[in-house]
Amino acid sequence: MKILAIGDIVGRPGRQAIHKFVRGLRKQYGINLVIANGENAAGGFGLTVDTSRELLGDGIDVLTSGNHIWAQKEIIPYLDADMPILRPLNYPSGVPGRGYLLTGKTLVVNLIGRTFMSNYDCPFRSMDRLLEEMDPKPKVIIVDFHAEATSEKVALGHYLDGRVSAVLGTHTHVGTTDAQILPGGTAYVSDIGMTGPLDSVIGDDAEAAIARFLTRMPHRLSVGKGKIALNGIVVEIDDNTGQALSIERIYREVD
């Protein structure tokens, strides 16, 4: 099977790229499942019900998230409903939502890192518990690891190598060039990259972001403008073994 994973969608520009490209990419690559990180899709900060429905209507099957999942309060009741939206598995127990979703024969898992982030539960041990509890355990398992430190991402990739089909990094909005298949058969990349405005500071208006760095004073950030691009990763997986056969970076610019 083939899975398309799309990096952090930022605001309306990111949603425009999804609308323009996802259905065509599904057809071009014979994609069976589309996963996208949507936690910045609503004005650059969080998810709303309307933006979620828009993205799902444009060909995305599962929306993952991260540290901004609580930014738009209206989405919280829907995290326990039927919409295929995930929050990181390793949030403390008792918070709304779910950290994994079985769709068809594929398990999609959302984890969040701790290094330079916050005091979440351990993503390594949280994943261990999930894999131990799943019975039967699906062959195809995809992990969106929403983390800041490349060291933590690479470490988790090797930790889960041979136990999951893919570990795909999100959060930094800057795509990395280390897409590979690890020795145990797990596809890995440190960061898929951003889907949104290129003429920006990781999706935010450049002037406001620069002012923050220059003055150390708060400046309201808005979504950047200009050229728009989609960043994604296509992983081909052996349905019988769950091992990755290939991993390919996808990049498309909106004309």
Side-chain angles (χ1 to χ4, degrees), residues 6-11 37-41 44-46 66-68 145-148 153 169-176 190-198 200-204 223 229-231 249 251:
I6 298 170
D8 304 61
I9 301 165
V10 179
N37 193 290
E39 72 153 15
N40 297 113
F45 201 55
N67 52 308
H68 294 317
F145 190 29
H146 198 75
E148 183 77 24
K153 292 179 178 182
T170 59
H171 178 65
T172 66
H173 293 205
V174 178
T176 56
S190 292
D191 204 285
I192 300 171
M194 177 188 73
T195 294
L198 291 176
S200 67
V201 175
I202 61 171
D204 293 323
V223 176
L230 177 146
N231 277 284
R249 177 168 286 285
Y251 178 84

Side-chain angles (χ1 to χ4, degrees), residues 79 86 104 126 211 240 247 249:
L79 299 179
L86 299 181
S126 295
N240 296 316
I247 180 169
R249 177 168 286 285

Side-chain angles (χ1 to χ4, degrees), residues 185-242:
T186 294
Y188 174 83
V189 69
S190 292
D191 204 285
I192 300 171
M194 177 188 73
T195 294
L198 291 176
D199 300 326
S200 67
V201 175
I202 61 171
D204 293 323
D205 176 73
E207 289 188 8
I210 291 168
R212 279 192 173 193
F213 285 110
L214 286 173
T215 67
R216 309 308 300 169
M217 295 174 63
H219 288 77
R220 182 175 179 178
L221 296 177
S222 58
V223 176
K225 299 178 177 62
K227 292 190 296 184
I228 303 168
L230 177 146
N231 277 284
I233 291 286
V234 172
V235 181
E236 184 175 6
I237 300 165
D238 186 319
D239 296 32
N240 296 316
T241 65

